[in-house]
Amino acid sequence: MRWPPWSSNSDKDGNEKKRSVSWTESLKAIDWSHYTDPRNIIPVVLLTTTVLVSTRLYRSYLRRIPEATYIRPGFFRKRSLFGMVTRVGDADNFHLFHMPGGRLAGWGWLRKIPEDKKALKGNTIHVRIAGIDAPEGAHFGKPAQPYSQEALEWLKNYILGRRVRAYVYKMDQYQRVVATVWVRRFFFRRDVGKEMLKAGLATIYEAKMGAEFGDFEAKYRSAEEKAKAKKKGMWAGKASDYESPRDYKIRTAVANEGK
């Protein structure tokens, strides 16, 4: 007998339909074959892996570094910078426009290298050539050292507007990257610092602290000794008249302090 009398079978059926379904039962009701089908899983895995690997490659090898301050500490002594020399400052440092990936990444034919000073401002890395010290030019009221202009012109002719690779060691106090620099000349790679020593237009960097040579100190000292023996460049005059760039800096600094 139905109670209350006005109830109907339809009410009973509705109550049965409203019966709650447990979470376990709902999971069992789902057709999981769609999600476990290799035809669906493999493309998703491949796409995800490709995106992650591409992102890693871009960040590690193809992301352009605009200035020296953007270089992370883990980069030094492990990686190198490839780019074009856009300006030569003194005879032992220059500005590099970073071109990650080189021609394969489109530099020079798909991606243009800025030429005007405004476009280059804040977009070049200041590089100090490791292991050498060039004659000081005239600045801050100080007179130029002998052969400073010759050294500057030599460096401009050797690397300005050319693609170079810099193996970086550290950042100095002037926010310059200290690096051994290589340039391709007549199908051969040349160590720029060593070539300057051979020409007698630079000396070994003799500061008590902060000198960097990579693995080339012995070769650099040998190149300097040969230039001395041949009396090239800075070594052409009398030994008594010679003043190294380091001694020049010390002497002029003391003279300025006395003013």
Side-chain angles (χ1 to χ4, degrees):
M1 180 178 178
R2 293 193 303 270
W3 186 263
W6 55 83
S7 64
S8 64
N9 288 332
S10 62
D11 292 335
K12 184 177 180 181
D13 294 339
N15 290 334
E16 288 178 354
K17 288 179 181 178
K18 293 178 182 178
R19 183 174 60 87
S20 61
V21 179
S22 69
W23 182 72
T24 304
E25 290 178 346
S26 66
L27 287 179
K28 291 179 179 179
I30 297 174
D31 182 9
W32 291 98
S33 62
H34 174 76
Y35 300 98
T36 57
D37 189 342
R39 290 175 297 179
N40 296 323
I41 294 176
I42 292 175
V44 171
V45 171
L46 288 176
L47 178 60
T48 304
T49 304
T50 301
V51 170
L52 292 175
V53 171
S54 299
T55 303
R56 181 66 180 271
L57 285 173
Y58 171 76
R59 289 180 176 178
S60 299
Y61 300 101
L62 296 176
R63 182 167 56 180
R64 209 185 78 78
I65 300 173
E67 292 184 292
T69 52
Y70 286 82
I71 299 175
R72 293 171 291 183
F75 195 96
F76 294 109
R77 301 186 186 278
K78 296 178 181 178
R79 302 282 300 282
S80 65
L81 296 168
F82 178 79
M84 178 174 286
V85 177
T86 58
R87 181 163 67 91
V88 174
D90 290 332
D92 50 25
N93 65 84
F94 60 89
H95 287 261
L96 174 80
F97 183 85
H98 186 215
M99 298 159 48
R103 291 186 181 277
L104 292 176
W107 290 107
W109 54 288
L110 283 178
R111 305 168 72 180
K112 292 185 178 180
I113 302 165
E115 295 181 358
D116 58 286
K117 291 182 179 180
K118 288 184 179 180
L120 288 170
K121 187 176 181 180
N123 278 305
T124 58
I125 300 169
H126 199 176
V127 180
R128 173 66 161 83
I129 302 174
I132 68 167
D133 212 359
E136 291 290 309
H139 49 73
F140 305 119
K142 300 176 184 178
Q145 264 192 289
Y147 290 97
S148 60
Q149 189 61 35
E150 290 87 341
L152 179 60
E153 291 301 320
W154 184 96
L155 188 60
K156 284 182 177 179
N157 291 332
Y158 207 72
I159 65 172
L160 185 59
R162 294 182 178 273
R163 292 173 172 82
V164 301
R165 185 169 294 280
Y167 293 87
V168 296
Y169 302 126
K170 68 175 186 178
M171 187 98 67
D172 70 5
Q173 67 269 34
Y174 304 109
Q175 294 189 334
R176 300 177 302 186
V177 172
V178 181
T180 297
V181 182
W182 295 80
V183 63
R184 193 168 293 279
R185 301 279 298 188
F186 307 111
F187 306 105
F188 295 98
R189 285 208 325 158
R190 303 290 185 184
D191 180 340
V192 177
K194 182 181 176 182
E195 294 301 316
M196 286 198 77
L197 290 168
K198 287 167 64 176
L201 295 174
T203 66
I204 292 290
Y205 190 81
E206 296 288 8
K208 293 181 179 179
M209 296 179 63
E212 287 286 351
F213 296 92
D215 298 324
F216 306 105
E217 183 173 0
K219 292 181 179 179
Y220 280 19
R221 293 193 180 278
S222 175
E224 185 186 66
E225 288 301 321
K226 289 178 181 178
K228 281 183 183 180
K230 295 178 180 179
K231 294 188 176 295
K232 286 190 171 184
M234 300 170 66
W235 311 108
K238 295 179 181 179
S240 57
D241 296 333
Y242 169 76
E243 183 180 38
S244 71
R246 181 170 180 266
D247 290 339
Y248 171 86
K249 293 171 190 173
I250 294 172
R251 178 175 61 81
T252 53
V254 171
N256 286 337
E257 288 176 2
K259 290 182 180 180

